[in-house]
Amino acid sequence: MSVLVVIENPEDCSLVFSGVESVAARSYLTDEAFTTLRGVKIINICRSYRYQSMGYYVSLLAEARGHKPVPSITAIQDMKSVGIIRLASEELSELMDRLLADRAPEKTSFSAYFGKTPEKGLEQLASRLFKLFPAPFLRADCSFQNGWQLQNVSPLSVRDIPEGERDFAEAVSADYFTGKKLSIPKRQISRYDLAILYDPEEARPPSDARAIKRFTKAAETLGLGVEIVTREDSNRLSEFDALFIRETTSVDHHTYRMARKAAAEGLIVIDDPESILRCSNKVYLAEVLTRHKIPAPRTVIAHCKNIDHILEELALPCVLKQPDSAFSQGVVLVRESDALEREAKRLLAKSDLVIAQEYLPSEYDWRIGILDRRPLFACKYYMAAGHWQILRKGKSGKDIYGRVETLPVARVPKKVVNAALKAAGAIGDGLYGVDLKQVGEKVYVIEVNDNPNIDAGFEDEVLQDELYLRVVEVFLKRIERRKTGSLNV
């Protein structure tokens, strides 16, 4: 497997990496030559992995392209999660107490480079830390409170590496580039209980109260215990076998943190954290649709240096999207060049990249629900009256939706269903809502949502109670497969 080291400005990097190619982050993100590479490991040493930064997008698009990024998006999010760090601390507590026993019982910090550290006596701890948080360069902070605890784990940028450790960092980096991948041990579970994460106060929940009751009834019919939980129950997740998230998901949100924690505890999780990461960012979706040759509106990934490129590739009007937009928020239709530049700059103030997309007007969008790589439901979401989207704000601020028509999957054109299955399959095997437009004989995938609406009287209109049973059956099947050891996790 070939190795690319990606950094904002390779010429300014103080480390020398022999035997590998260094690439500027903007080039990797936007140069088409990199999209076709196969069998590539991406070492992402951008100075920041914060949400929607260049470093974040390097790992995100690397995953979309089938490359192997270090760190992965999951690792990036784990380093931000207090809950995941607490779990890691519990796992490492015995080792830390043994290795740090001779240190003053206050605080200590050390650096780790691909699981190696120049700090004598802490080599085993650095190795275990890299297995839990596989990132190139790390800084770990430990404190003593009735035993040693892992207080914080953060990425260490190249410019912050102490001068006395640079030779060490270069040497272990060279070893890693030709070394073996480390695996992370998985946890086991033993009970049959389903937790449904739901917030009755949420303005636009993916399932209404009646649907939640039907999910509960279906689970009990199949012999699963059910409890409706909230974000306050995060510390109780280990009591359950599975977590079903029926709150609107987002990466910088408790839904993602609970999904990660539940997965780390060994639960079956829908929406799984990988699906949340992938579906919540339209840059990733654009890349993965291109890679899998799935028809989509013509798309340009834009940054502050190439806004002019949008008009070279797309005609007006076109659609600009903030990468993590949802419920039509952060999505704007621009009809003039002045508006394009103004709105692009506004969106770029929040994210290093934005999506510009061909505008395809239509009377309705298809929404195909996919679960476990099979069609679950099919709807036509019509545009709100006098608007180009299915949702608009009324003068009073009230949400106004277009009407919904639910159809048997067998009555949906095969090309629509097949495109939805292919798009969802490129993300994973969870529960997805694939939005598509049909223009003449052509079908275009607009996006894949990890948290599709299932509301009583709408998406369940055709299957009724059978829809809820099918969802719960997937949970039951996966729990049983995991208990018998036949599910790879």
Side-chain angles (χ1 to χ4, degrees):
M1 178 175 285
S2 59
V3 175
L4 291 179
V5 175
V6 180
I7 190 169
E8 277 94 343
N9 300 298
E11 64 275 9
D12 296 335
C13 182
S14 59
L15 299 185
V16 177
F17 302 108
S18 57
V20 296
E21 181 182 354
S22 294
V23 176
R26 279 198 174 92
S27 296
Y28 178 75
L29 292 172
T30 59
D31 190 332
E32 292 184 1
F34 293 107
T35 66
T36 58
L37 294 179
R38 296 293 179 265
V40 180
K41 178 179 285 187
I42 301 299
I43 308 299
N44 179 1
I45 58 171
C46 289
R47 61 175 171 263
S48 172
Y49 302 136
R50 67 174 174 78
Y51 185 53
Q52 299 201 102
S53 67
M54 283 291 178
Y56 182 90
Y57 281 118
V58 166
S59 288
L60 187 74
L61 292 197
E63 291 187 6
R65 293 167 180 173
H67 299 168
K68 302 293 182 182
V70 181
S72 67
I73 284 292
T74 298
I76 288 172
Q77 293 301 131
D78 283 357
M79 286 186 283
K80 302 175 185 177
S81 170
V82 174
I84 298 298
I85 291 175
R86 187 181 300 118
L87 288 172
S89 181
E90 293 173 2
E91 191 167 319
L92 298 173
S93 60
E94 183 178 338
L95 181 63
M96 287 190 292
D97 285 343
R98 178 162 54 85
L99 297 182
L100 300 174
D102 296 333
R103 305 206 174 206
E106 296 175 356
K107 293 183 178 181
T108 190
S109 299
F110 65 95
S111 302
Y113 306 93
F114 291 107
K116 307 289 184 181
T117 181
E119 194 84 17
K120 298 300 182 184
L122 300 186
E123 294 87 350
Q124 189 178 358
L125 182 57
S127 177
R128 290 282 298 278
L129 195 67
F130 182 64
K131 291 180 182 181
L132 293 168
F133 302 96
F137 309 138
L138 293 174
R139 187 73 175 169
D141 302 313
C142 305
S143 64
F144 189 88
Q145 298 172 357
N146 298 320
W148 282 99
Q149 298 178 7
L150 183 63
Q151 202 71 32
N152 186 54
V153 179
S154 56
L156 183 65
S157 69
V158 171
R159 63 185 178 185
D160 292 331
I161 295 174
E163 187 172 353
E165 296 182 1
R166 288 178 184 173
D167 289 344
F168 181 88
E170 288 179 1
V172 297
S173 296
D175 290 341
Y176 178 80
F177 296 154
T178 56
K180 295 181 179 180
K181 183 179 180 182
L182 294 168
S183 60
I184 301 174
K186 305 298 179 181
R187 302 173 187 261
Q188 299 299 317
I189 58 172
S190 59
R191 300 182 60 201
Y192 284 80
D193 291 293
L194 172 66
I196 300 179
L197 180 62
Y198 177 67
D199 179 6
E201 302 301 319
E202 184 178 356
R204 299 167 177 158
S207 285
D208 59 9
R210 287 196 299 152
I212 295 299
K213 288 181 180 178
R214 293 186 180 184
F215 278 122
T216 301
K217 178 183 175 182
E220 292 172 346
T221 298
L222 295 176
L224 272 72
V226 181
E227 184 174 339
I228 308 302
V229 300
T230 70
R231 62 186 301 177
E232 304 303 324
D233 296 299
S234 176
N235 62 342
R236 297 181 50 233
L237 290 176
S238 60
E239 300 174 16
F240 301 93
D241 293 289
L243 173 65
F244 187 23
I245 298 178
R246 288 282 85 194
E247 285 190 45
T248 302
T249 55
S250 178
V251 174
D252 278 354
H253 194 249
H254 69 270
T255 49
Y256 175 80
R257 293 190 290 272
M258 290 183 72
R260 275 297 293 145
K261 185 174 182 180
E265 290 286 350
L267 279 69
I268 302 297
V269 186
I270 298 177
D271 304 323
D272 61 274
E274 290 79 11
S275 293
I276 296 174
L277 280 169
R278 294 168 180 175
C279 292
S280 66
N281 195 287
K282 291 174 174 55
V283 174
Y284 180 94
L285 286 173
E287 192 75 23
V288 84
L289 293 176
T290 299
R291 181 188 172 214
H292 289 271
K293 296 181 171 58
I294 298 169
R298 186 168 178 79
T299 300
V300 175
I301 298 174
H303 52 73
C304 62
K305 301 292 186 181
N306 75 342
I307 294 177
D308 292 342
H309 184 58
I310 297 174
L311 285 179
E312 296 173 8
E313 296 292 328
L314 303 177
L316 293 175
C318 70
V319 179
L320 296 179
K321 298 180 179 181
Q322 193 172 312
D324 59 352
S325 57
F327 291 113
S328 303
Q329 305 300 308
V331 180
V332 60
L333 179 67
V334 292
R335 301 181 183 275
E336 300 174 349
S337 57
D338 289 347
L340 171 64
E341 183 175 359
R342 181 177 64 254
E343 294 295 336
K345 289 181 177 178
R346 180 178 65 84
L347 295 176
L348 284 167
K350 299 180 180 179
S351 170
D352 284 352
L353 300 178
V354 299
I355 290 290
Q357 203 165 61
E358 174 186 11
Y359 174 50
L360 298 175
S362 62
E363 183 183 3
Y364 59 83
D365 285 351
W366 282 107
R367 163 66 66 86
I368 307 298
I370 304 291
L371 174 62
D372 202 24
R373 303 188 190 278
R374 296 182 178 87
L376 180 66
F377 64 83
C379 295
K380 288 181 178 179
Y381 291 165
Y382 285 82
M383 303 302 147
H387 194 55
W388 63 282
Q389 294 169 295
I390 64 174
L391 167 66
R392 69 177 177 87
K393 284 282 188 183
K395 292 182 179 179
S396 63
K398 182 180 178 181
D399 289 343
I400 299 176
Y401 290 88
R403 66 186 180 90
V404 179
E405 180 183 356
T406 307
L407 297 85
V409 172
R411 287 180 50 197
V412 180
K414 287 186 177 180
K415 63 177 71 175
V416 173
V417 176
N418 290 340
L421 285 168
K422 189 174 182 181
I427 300 298
D429 62 359
L431 174 63
Y432 308 106
V434 184
D435 293 341
L436 312 95
K437 285 185 182 290
Q438 191 173 7
V439 182
E441 295 298 315
K442 294 185 177 181
V443 173
Y444 302 89
V445 173
I446 303 302
E447 60 187 37
V448 182
N449 302 280
D450 67 287
N451 195 238
N453 279 68
I454 297 180
D455 287 314
F458 292 93
E459 289 78 13
D460 67 356
E461 187 175 350
V462 171
L463 291 178
Q464 299 290 324
D465 288 344
E466 176 66 20
L467 183 148
Y468 302 95
L469 286 168
R470 288 187 187 183
V471 173
V472 176
E473 281 172 350
V474 169
F475 278 105
L476 182 59
K477 177 183 70 175
R478 293 185 182 185
I479 292 170
E480 290 178 337
R481 286 172 59 194
R482 178 167 285 179
K483 285 182 67 67
T484 60
S486 61
L487 180 62
N488 292 322
V489 296

